[in-house]
C-alpha cells in the first residue's frame, strides 16, 4: 500500500462527511524474515501490548498480513482466550473468525510476559489505556506500567509504536527517555520510536482498518520509515508518514476535540431552537445540505473514553484553549438542561419516579467509561428523584452498581418521567401502556422523535420542541 506524506487534499477540503471506501488488499503473500528491517514484501514479529477492544482487532489484522503476532495482556483470562483461539471482544464483526483463523494457522499467540514478547518482536505496538485522573489530568498508570514491562525485552533494532492517544510531546519527552534509560539503547540509532493514533470506531474496527488512512509520526527519519513500512505491510489503507510524532499526536487530539466542540455548538443551537420553537434537526439537515457545513447532532452529553477525554489532554498542555474548555462545559451541562426540562413539566423532582433508558456511553457498546448516565443518575437523585434504569446491554446487577433500581423490560412502572440516554433501537419497542403515570418523555438522543405518545404525555427532545417533531429531518 502507498505511503504518502499528506492525506489526499481534495476530500479534506470539504466540511461535509467523507465516505471512505474500503481498500482492497493488494499485498502479495509476505516473506517472513528475522530480523525485519522494513523491506517491502517482508513480515516479522510484532508484540501488541494491551489486547483489549482495540488491541485485539489489531492483532487479527496484523496476523492476517503474514506477521507473527504476540498479544500481551495483564489479564490471564484475556491471554487464555486468545491462546484458545477465542475473541473476548464482542460486537466486532469478523473479529471472532479472524482470531480463530490466526490462532489455527499459528500466527497469533498471547502471553502475560511483556519482556519475552518484546525480545522476540521486531515491532512493539502499545495500545493500553491512558485515561484522566480526578483533576482531569492524563492518568498514565497503565502506559507507564506497559512501557516498564516491555523495556527489558527491547533490543537493538526494536521499533516501538504508541497507538494509544497521548498529549502532544509524550512520545518524545515522556516515553522515549524512559525506554532509553531502561534499555541503554539510543533513539534513532538502535531504538526506533513512533506514534500512530488509533482512530477506529468500536463495532467497526476491522472495517475501519481497511478505510482510514493510517497516520504515523516518528521521533526521527528512521523511526518514521520503519513505522510507516510496518503499517504499509499490515494495512490495506494508505499510510500517511507525517513530519514527526508530535504532528501525529496532535492530529488525533484535533480530530476528537473538533467533534466535541462541534457537538457543543449543536447543543447551544439546540438550546436556542428550544427557546424559539424551532426543530434543530430540521435546521441542521438544511444547513448541512451543502458541503461546507457539518454540524453534528445535539444530545444529552458526550460519553466514552475518547471524545470527552482528549480535549482534556489538549488542555493539560494548552490551558489557553478557551473554546475547548467551554465546549466541555457546554456538553457536560446538557444533563442540567434535561433536568430543568423535567422540572418544568413536573415541578420539584422530590420523590418523583424517573426511569433512565440506556446507561452505556452509547447504544450497542457495552462500555460505561465516561458514560453521562452516571452523573445523570447522581444529579436526579440529588434532586430527590427515585431513579430506576434499564439498558439492554447490562444485567440488573450492573445497573444497580450504577446507582439505579433495575427496571425489567415490560414491567409496569410508576415512572412519571422517562429519559433516554442512549439511542438504542430497542426503545422504539416501548409500550407506553407500561407507564400509566407517565407525564413526560425526555428524549436525550432525539431517537424517539417519531414515537406516538399517549394523550397527556409531553415529548421533549434536545432542541426538538413538542408539536414540531413530525415536521421533517
Ligand atoms: N475503545 C475505543 O473506542 C477506542 C477508539 C480509538 C482509540 N482507542 C485507543 O485505544 C486505547 C485502548 O482502548 P481499548 O478500548 O482497547 O481499551 P480496553 O480497556 O478494551 O483494553 C485495554 C487492554 O489493555 C490491558 N492492559 C492494561 N494495562 C496493561 C499493561 N500494563 N500491559 C499489558 N496490557 C495491559 C487491559 O487488560 C486490557 O485488556 C485507548 O486508550 C485509546 O487511546 C480506543
Amino acid at each position: 500500500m502507498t505511503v504518502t506524506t499528506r492525506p489526499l487534499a481534495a476530500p479534506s477540503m470539504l466540511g461535509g462527511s467523507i465516505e471512505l471506501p474500503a481498500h482492497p488488499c493488494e499485498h502479495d503473500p509476505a516473506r517472513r524474515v528475522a530480523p525485519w528491517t522494513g523491506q517491502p514484501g517482508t513480515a516479522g514479529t510484532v508484540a501488541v501490548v494491551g489486547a483489549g477492544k482495540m488491541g485485539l482487532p489489531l492483532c487479527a489484522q496484523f496476523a492476517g498480513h503474514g506477521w507473527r503476532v504476540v498479544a500481551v495482556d495483564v489479564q490471564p483470562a484475556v491471554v487464555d482466550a486468545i491462546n484458545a483461539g477465542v475473541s473476548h471482544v464482542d460486537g466486532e464483526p469478523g473479529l471472532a473468525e479472524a482470531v480463530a483463523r490466526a490462532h489455527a494457522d499459528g500466527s497469533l499467540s498471547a502471553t502475560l510476559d511483556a519482556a519475552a514478547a518484546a525480545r522476540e518482536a521486531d515491532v512493539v505496538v502499545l495500545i493500553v489505556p491512558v485515561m484522566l485522573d480526578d483533576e482531569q489530568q492524563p492518568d498514565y498508570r497503565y502506559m507507564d506500567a506497559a512501557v516498564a514491562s516491555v523495556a527489558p525485552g527491547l533490543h537493538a533494532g526494536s521499533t516501538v509504536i504508541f497507538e494509544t492517544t497521548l498529549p502532544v510531546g509524550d512520545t518524545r519527552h515522556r516515553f522515549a527517555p524512559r525506554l532509553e534509560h531502561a534499555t541503554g539503547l539510543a533513539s534513532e540509532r538502535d531504538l526506533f520510536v513512533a506514534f500512530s493514533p488509533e482512530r477506529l470506531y468500536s463495532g467497526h474496527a476491522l472495517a475501519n482498518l481497511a478505510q482510514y488512512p493510517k497516520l504515523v509520526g516518528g521521533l526521527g527519519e528512521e523511526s518514521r520509515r520503519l513505522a510507516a513500512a510496518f503499517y504499509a505491510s499490515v494495512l490495506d489503507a494508505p499510510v500517511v508518514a507525517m513530519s514527526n510524532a508530535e504532528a501525529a499526536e496532535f492530529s488525533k487530539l484535533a480530530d476528537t476535540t473538533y467533534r466535541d466542540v462541534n457537538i457543543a455548538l449543536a447543543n447551544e443551537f439546540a438550546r436556542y431552537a428550544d427557546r424559539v420553537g424551532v426543530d434543530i434537526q430540521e435546521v441542521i439537515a438544511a444547513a448541512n445540505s451543502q458541503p461546507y457545513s457539518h454540524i453534528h447532532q445535539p444530545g444529552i452529553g458526550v460519553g466514552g473514553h475518547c471524545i470527552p477525554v482528549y480535549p482534556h489532554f489538549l488542555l493539560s498542555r494548552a490551558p489557553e484553549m478557551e473554546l475547548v474548555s467551554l465546549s466541555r462545559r457546554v456538553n457536560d451541562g446538557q444533563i442540567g438542561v434535561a433536568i430543568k426540562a423535567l422540572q418544568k413539566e413536573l415541578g420539584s423532582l422530590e420523590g418523583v419516579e424517573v426511569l433512565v433508558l440506556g446507561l452505556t456511553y452509547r447504544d450497542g457498546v457495552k462500555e460505561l467509561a465516561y458514560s453521562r448516565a452516571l452523573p445523570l443518575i447522581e444529579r436526579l437523585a440529588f434532586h430527590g428523584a427515585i431513579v430506576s434504569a434499564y439498558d439492554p446491554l447490562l444485567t440488573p446487577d450492573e445497573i444497580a452498581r450504577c446507582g439505579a433500581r433495575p427496571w425489567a423490560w415490560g414491567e409496569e412502572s410508576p415512572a412519571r418521567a422517562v429519559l433516554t440516554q442512549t439511542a438504542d433501537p430497542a426503545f422504539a419497542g416501548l409500550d407506553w401502556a407500561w407507564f400509566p403515570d407517565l407525564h413526560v418523555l425526555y428524549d436525550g438522543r432525539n431517537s424517539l422523535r417519531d414515537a406516538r405518545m399517549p394523550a397527556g404525555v409531553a415529548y421533549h427532545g434536545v432542541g426538538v420542541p413538542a408539536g414540531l417533531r413530525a415536521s421533517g429531518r
Side-chain angles (χ1 to χ4, degrees):
M1 190 30 82
T2 44
V3 176
T4 60
T5 50
R6 293 239 166 118
L8 287 179
S12 66
M13 294 299 288
L14 302 179
S17 292
I18 301 165
E19 288 294 329
L20 290 168
H23 296 269
C25 182
E26 289 166 358
H27 294 98
D28 291 328
R31 187 165 50 87
R32 207 56 78 79
V33 295
W36 178 82
T37 55
Q39 295 313 305
T42 62
T45 297
V46 55
V48 177
V49 183
K53 283 186 290 298
M54 292 296 123
L56 191 60
L58 293 181
C59 291
Q61 174 76 26
F62 301 162
H65 280 71
W67 281 68
R68 197 165 81 73
V69 180
V70 186
V72 179
D73 208 284
V74 287
Q75 295 186 60
V78 167
V79 168
D80 291 347
I82 296 169
N83 282 333
V86 173
S87 165
H88 65 96
V89 175
D90 294 328
E92 286 293 351
L95 182 60
E97 298 79 353
V99 168
R101 214 165 33 239
H103 170 258
D105 71 18
S107 53
L108 173 63
S109 62
T111 180
L112 294 165
D113 189 341
R119 201 165 293 124
E120 287 179 60
D122 304 286
V123 176
V124 175
V125 169
L126 291 136
I127 179 84
V128 304
V130 173
M131 329 249 274
L132 288 176
D133 65 16
D134 293 343
E135 266 76 56
Q136 314 282 39
Q137 295 299 308
D139 176 348
Y140 293 106
R141 80 184 80 164
Y142 300 115
M143 187 58 90
D144 284 349
V147 164
S149 70
V150 295
L154 296 176
H155 47 83
S158 291
T159 297
V160 179
I161 307 174
F162 292 86
E163 287 215 23
T164 297
T165 309
L166 295 175
V168 178
D170 274 3
T171 303
R172 188 181 306 275
H173 298 299
R174 183 183 182 91
F175 294 116
R178 289 173 186 224
L179 292 171
E180 290 185 337
H181 180 74
T183 60
L185 300 169
S187 289
E188 292 307 300
R189 190 190 67 201
D190 40 20
L191 177 66
F192 304 96
V193 183
F195 179 82
S196 177
E198 190 45 74
R199 306 198 290 163
L200 311 176
Y201 194 62
S202 254
H204 302 262
L206 292 177
N208 292 165
L209 280 167
Q211 292 168 311
Y212 296 170
K214 187 67 171 150
L215 312 176
V216 183
L219 289 197
E221 191 46 48
E222 189 58 4
S223 297
R224 173 168 95 145
R225 182 189 75 79
L226 284 165
F230 168 66
Y231 288 115
S233 79
V234 292
L235 298 179
D236 304 319
V239 175
V240 181
M242 300 180 70
S243 308
N244 48 45
E246 289 73 16
E249 289 166 335
F250 197 176
S251 68
K252 170 77 183 193
L253 301 183
D255 145 21
T256 45
T257 302
Y258 157 73
R259 283 146 73 191
D260 200 46
V261 173
N262 190 324
I263 293 166
L265 185 64
N267 283 333
E268 285 217 313
F269 286 168
R271 294 178 194 184
Y272 178 58
D274 249 346
R275 183 148 71 78
V276 292
V278 170
D279 179 342
I280 193 61
Q281 290 196 298
E282 183 185 1
V283 170
I284 290 174
N288 287 356
S289 63
Q290 43 84 321
Y292 302 102
S293 174
H294 188 202
I295 305 166
H296 290 7
Q297 290 297 322
I300 194 166
V302 180
H305 51 180
C306 287
I307 305 210
V309 172
Y310 301 146
H312 289 295
F313 283 18
L314 261 185
L315 290 168
S316 72
R317 306 300 150 84
E320 71 277 10
M321 290 197 186
E322 288 175 21
L323 195 55
V324 174
S325 58
L326 179 61
S327 300
R328 280 282 70 242
R329 288 204 299 281
V330 167
N331 289 338
D332 283 353
Q334 288 298 98
I335 285 179
V337 170
I339 287 178
K340 272 208 187 92
L342 294 190
Q343 286 168 329
K344 200 167 157 204
E345 293 293 336
L346 299 167
S348 161
L349 297 182
E350 192 62 48
V352 170
E353 296 268 357
V354 179
L355 173 64
V356 176
L357 296 175
L359 300 190
T360 56
Y361 83 86
R362 75 172 155 90
D363 61 284
V365 181
K366 187 173 174 174
E367 173 67 75
L368 285 163
Y370 301 95
S371 170
R372 296 306 291 159
L374 307 175
L376 172 66
I377 290 170
E378 218 173 87
R379 287 282 295 283
L380 285 167
F382 172 81
H383 285 280
I386 303 163
V387 187
S388 53
Y390 169 80
D391 191 309
L393 298 176
L394 300 179
T395 64
D397 274 355
E398 288 167 332
I399 287 175
R401 281 201 289 277
C402 295
R405 245 181 12 210
W407 172 72
W409 184 259
E411 180 183 69
E412 186 168 303
S413 157
R416 293 186 63 213
V418 168
L419 202 153
T420 54
Q421 197 282 140
T422 66
D424 199 297
F427 302 152
L430 286 168
D431 183 343
W432 301 111
W434 301 336
F435 309 98
D437 299 325
L438 190 63
H439 269 59
V440 56
L441 166 67
Y442 189 88
D443 190 10
R445 303 290 169 194
N446 292 340
S447 58
L448 296 179
R449 53 172 290 146
D450 297 328
R452 285 173 149 266
M453 304 308 299
V457 178
Y459 171 93
H460 209 301
V462 183
V464 183
L468 286 180
R469 63 192 163 112
S471 64
R473 268 176 293 175

